[in-house]
Amino acid sequence: RATGPRRPRRGSVFFGGLSPLLYDSEGLPRYGEGARPRPAGVRANAQFDAAALLLEMQDWPRAIGVLEGFRRDYPDNPLTATIPRRLAGAYEASGQKVAAAVEYERIADAPAEPAEARRQALEQAADLYEQGGDAARAARTLETFVTRYPEPVVAAIEARQRLADFA
């Protein structure tokens, strides 16, 4: 008899009578061919956890794909509200300034976000549009910023100055 660690058999209590979840070469859950269907809640949580792991690994392209898929597949899941913040960071880290700006605008439009977070997100979106070379969207975002946030006055004046510079 072998003395090494015991591996549970397929269908054992360890796996709850189901075949084990399939993993890719990096140990991440594999979705698609050969993977057995799972209940939607389990699948959503696994996909979200995979995205979190990919973000931690700084694998931006794969993280972005998983996060976009999660938002598409589970629009009513409470975790979906956290996707714009995660995507904004991943896009920004991968150099996709305009895509990051779009996500920051989503944050700015989310009523569940604190007012200061929405204000900062809108300002960040304008910065990223400008850095990404989309002056028209940067100007539009700054106009929205000035309209929504006339205070603090210093930030509003700076936004107005930036708008004047675009003219």
Side-chain angles (χ1 to χ4, degrees), residues 135 139 142-143 160-167:
L142 286 169
E143 288 171 359
R160 285 187 182 96
Q161 180 59 52
R162 286 177 63 193
L163 271 171
D165 293 343
F166 282 123

Side-chain angles (χ1 to χ4, degrees), residues 45-125:
N45 288 340
Q47 189 170 350
F48 192 82
D49 290 345
L53 181 60
L54 289 165
L55 289 170
E56 188 175 313
M57 293 169 44
Q58 299 182 1
D59 187 345
W60 309 125
R62 288 179 65 196
I64 288 167
V66 172
L67 288 167
E68 288 173 342
F70 186 93
R71 180 164 52 195
R72 180 190 62 243
D73 295 343
Y74 307 104
D76 299 325
N77 188 303
L79 294 171
T80 301
T82 68
I83 297 296
R85 196 176 286 276
R86 292 169 188 269
L87 272 175
Y91 281 131
E92 198 168 357
S94 67
Q96 299 178 60
K97 306 291 188 195
V98 172
V102 170
E103 296 303 323
Y104 279 114
E105 278 196 285
R106 282 191 169 125
I107 295 166
D109 292 338
E113 291 286 343
E116 181 60 18
R118 291 193 316 263
R119 187 188 71 74
Q120 289 176 357
L122 197 56
E123 192 171 23
Q124 182 71 10

